[in-house]
Amino acid sequence: MLDQRKKTDYVSWVVLVTLLLFAIEISFFRPGVLFSLSISVCLIYVGRKKWHRRKGKWLFWLGCIMLAIHVLTMMAARFVMVALLGYALWQLFQSKRHPTVIRPTMAENSYGGEEIVRRQPLFQNVWVGRQATSERVYEWNDVNIQTGIGDTVIDVSYTVLPKGEAVIIVRGLIGNIRILVPYEIETRLVHSAIFGVASLFGKEQEKMFNETLIYQTSSYDQAEQKLKIVTSMIIGNVEVTRV
C-alpha cells in the first residue's frame, strides 16, 4: 500500500508541475503558441473529417506533425520526458535490489457446467523491472511474456516439467534473460536480437547484430521431455546454463 501511495504521489506531482510549467510558459514566454496549437488541432480535425479524401489525409498528418513539434519544443514536455526517464531508472534500480519473486496460484471456476482451472502465469508483462522464479519448489506453467527494460531469470530446476515440450517465450526491449535448466532436460533455443550475445550451455555467438540463432541439444527431437525457449530482444543477452 505504501509503494502504491508513493507512486500516486509521484504521478500527482508530475502532473501538477507539468500543468504549472505549461501555464508559465504560455503566459510569459510563448503566448503565441496557443494560436499554433489551435491551428494544428484544426488541421487534425478537418483531416479526420475528410479522411476518405487524399487531401484529408495530408491535412491530418500535417496537423499531427505540427502539434508534435510544438509540444516537444516546450519546456513542460521536456520536464515530462526527464521525469518519466528518472522514474524508469529508479524502478530499474529498485528491481535490481528487490526482484519480483513469482509464486503461482490456481483458481477453480465453473463455466457452463464444465470445471475450468485458471492458472496464474509465472510472469506478468512489465515495463520496467526484474522478475525471477522462486527459489522454492513451484508448479510449472508455460511462459509467454513481453518486457520493457529489465532482466528475467527462470530457474527450471525448482519445478517438474510435463511430458512433451514445455515452452518459454520472452520478448523484451533492453535487458538480459537467464534460464537455468537441469542436466537431463533436452533444450532448444531460438533467439533473435538487434545487438547482444546468446549462449546455450557454453556455446556462444559473440557480436550478434540483427540476427536470429537456433541452437538445440543433440537428442532434442527424440526426447520425451524437453524445453523450447524462444526469446527476442532489441539490446540484451540470453544465457541458458545447466544446474
Side-chain angles (χ1 to χ4, degrees), residues 111-139:
Y111 298 95
E114 182 177 358
E115 186 176 281
I116 303 296
V117 177
R118 178 175 180 178
R119 296 178 178 271
Q120 181 70 22
L122 286 176
F123 291 89
Q124 300 293 334
N125 297 334
V126 296
W127 286 106
V128 179
R130 181 177 185 269
Q131 296 190 95
T133 50
S134 173
E135 293 185 358
R136 299 178 180 178
V137 176
Y138 63 91
E139 184 176 5

Side-chain angles (χ1 to χ4, degrees), residues 141-160:
N141 287 319
D142 286 345
V143 176
N144 183 8
I145 59 170
Q146 290 82 40
T147 63
I149 302 174
D151 299 339
T152 302
V153 180
I154 304 175
D155 191 343
V156 185
S157 64
Y158 285 100
T159 188
V160 177

